Amino acid sequence: MIPLLILGLLKQNPGSYGYELLSLMEERHYKYIVNFTKGSFYYNLQQLEEKQYIKKVNQSDNTRETNNYIITELGDREFEKLMYKYGSKTEYINLSFYVAMLFTNEYKNEELTKLIEIQIEQTKKKISLLEQSIRHVETIPTYFRKMLENSLSHHLVNVQWFEGLLKDLRDEN
């Protein structure tokens, strides 16, 4: 999905340089939808250039030379393909915790309690980060804000579920 993010950002911001695109991804909180690192970002940027989906437009300012990028005609076609590919996909929520839940009868209750407490703690941290991100409405496109709000509601429901699991587990003991 990183190529779609880069191509989309270049469509919105033609002539941007790599660090500028990466900063936009961080500023817009895209980490909530795509797991990326600085290394994976630059690797994908290089791959897009090698495939001629983007090209460098070297620009010199008074202080330094930067590699600015623009999307090519081929890149526009790839953007359209990726929009359809990811826009038409529906996937099941894939939480590794769900897999662990399949085997709770084979696991010690005190250890399961710790796992559920970890899930509650981590989910509450995600809720806090999402709430912080949503507060910055001026930097987030409307549909992305709505997506973050949807994610927030899912995490709030998960905390209730985890707390219910914890109560059931404690009631059994």
Side-chain angles (χ1 to χ4, degrees), residues 49-65:
E49 185 182 8
E50 286 176 11
K51 292 176 181 174
Q52 299 180 350
Y53 295 148
I54 62 174
K55 69 178 180 179
K56 284 182 189 170
V57 180
N58 292 330
Q59 295 182 349
S60 295
D61 60 18
N62 293 338
T63 56
R64 63 189 171 112
E65 189 173 298

Side-chain angles (χ1 to χ4, degrees), residues 97 101 113 115-121 123-124 127 155-171:
F97 181 74
M101 289 296 295
T113 298
L115 292 180
I116 295 171
E117 289 170 343
I118 289 169
Q119 288 296 326
I120 291 170
E121 179 186 335
T123 304
K124 285 182 175 180
I127 288 169
H155 287 304
L156 289 168
V157 168
N158 278 346
V159 166
Q160 289 177 342
W161 179 57
F162 294 138
E163 288 172 344
L165 291 174
L166 200 54
K167 182 185 178 311
D168 291 346
L169 192 59
R170 288 180 176 151
D171 288 347

Side-chain angles (χ1 to χ4, degrees), residues 1-167:
M1 280 193 249
I2 297 171
L4 176 59
L5 292 179
I6 293 170
L7 292 172
L9 285 172
L10 278 175
K11 286 180 77 66
Q12 292 175 344
N13 305 283
S16 295
Y17 53 98
Y19 181 75
E20 189 175 10
L21 295 171
L22 182 60
S23 294
L24 280 171
M25 288 171 62
E26 290 170 351
E27 176 185 310
R28 293 180 180 180
H29 309 283
Y30 287 175
K31 64 185 171 213
Y32 293 113
I33 50 174
V34 177
N35 185 17
F36 65 89
T37 62
K38 187 176 180 180
S40 64
F41 168 80
Y42 282 107
Y43 172 79
N44 279 277
L45 189 69
Q46 180 184 355
Q47 291 296 306
L48 289 169
E49 185 182 8
E50 286 176 11
K51 292 176 181 174
Q52 299 180 350
Y53 295 148
I54 62 174
K55 69 178 180 179
K56 284 182 189 170
V57 180
N58 292 330
Q59 295 182 349
S60 295
D61 60 18
N62 293 338
T63 56
R64 63 189 171 112
E65 189 173 298
T66 59
N67 291 320
N68 299 62
Y69 295 91
I70 59 171
I71 192 168
T72 64
E73 192 175 316
L74 193 60
D76 271 327
R77 288 196 297 273
E78 181 66 10
F79 173 79
E80 295 296 324
K81 286 186 345 194
L82 292 174
M83 282 293 289
Y84 182 79
K85 175 183 177 181
Y86 294 118
S88 62
K89 247 185 192 181
T90 54
E91 296 178 359
Y92 293 104
I93 296 173
N94 184 11
L95 294 177
S96 54
F97 181 74
Y98 290 176
V99 176
M101 289 296 295
L102 296 173
F103 306 105
T104 56
N105 291 340
E106 314 304 322
Y107 202 58
K108 295 177 191 160
N109 279 355
E110 56 275 2
E111 294 302 314
L112 181 59
T113 298
K114 289 178 189 174
L115 292 180
I116 295 171
E117 289 170 343
I118 289 169
Q119 288 296 326
I120 291 170
E121 179 186 335
Q122 290 178 353
T123 304
K124 285 182 175 180
K125 285 180 184 176
K126 289 176 186 174
I127 288 169
S128 176
L129 289 172
L130 284 164
E131 287 172 338
Q132 288 173 19
S133 297
I134 291 168
R135 277 189 227 119
H136 298 287
V137 292
E138 67 280 353
T139 61
I140 315 174
T142 302
Y143 287 100
F144 186 56
R145 180 182 46 78
K146 289 180 181 289
M147 190 201 69
L148 291 177
E149 290 168 350
N150 183 51
S151 182
L152 175 62
S153 66
H154 284 280
H155 287 304
L156 289 168
V157 168
N158 278 346
V159 166
Q160 289 177 342
W161 179 57
F162 294 138
E163 288 172 344
L165 291 174
L166 200 54
K167 182 185 178 311

